[in-house]
Amino acid sequence: MTDTANQFKKAPKRKKEKTRSVQVSPEMRQAYADLIKQKEEREDYAKHLPSNDKGR
């Protein structure tokens, strides 16, 4: 028989890793925000288009 005593025990908690932070300029932050906004607008636009399932 295999070791069933340990099979249903809780796993030990992991230690939290140190997080890394990155400093970006306000211009880069704004450019990233604009990029996300453009992506959302494209997705909203594409959502209303008819699907092309028939493989035209």
Side-chain angles (χ1 to χ4, degrees), residues 4-45:
T4 58
N6 289 333
Q7 186 175 4
F8 298 108
K9 287 187 177 179
K10 273 185 154 180
K13 291 188 176 185
R14 295 183 180 182
K15 291 183 180 178
K16 291 186 178 182
E17 295 180 11
K18 287 187 176 181
T19 58
R20 297 179 186 148
S21 61
V22 178
Q23 297 273 334
V24 282
S25 66
E27 295 86 15
M28 285 293 292
R29 189 180 308 243
Q30 185 62 41
Y32 186 67
D34 293 341
L35 185 69
I36 292 173
K37 191 174 185 181
Q38 287 175 354
K39 183 179 177 185
E40 289 174 351
E41 288 173 355
R42 276 183 285 178
E43 288 173 353
D44 287 343
Y45 177 75

Side-chain angles (χ1 to χ4, degrees), residues 52-56:
N52 197 7
D53 293 336
K54 296 186 180 181
R56 270 171 125 191

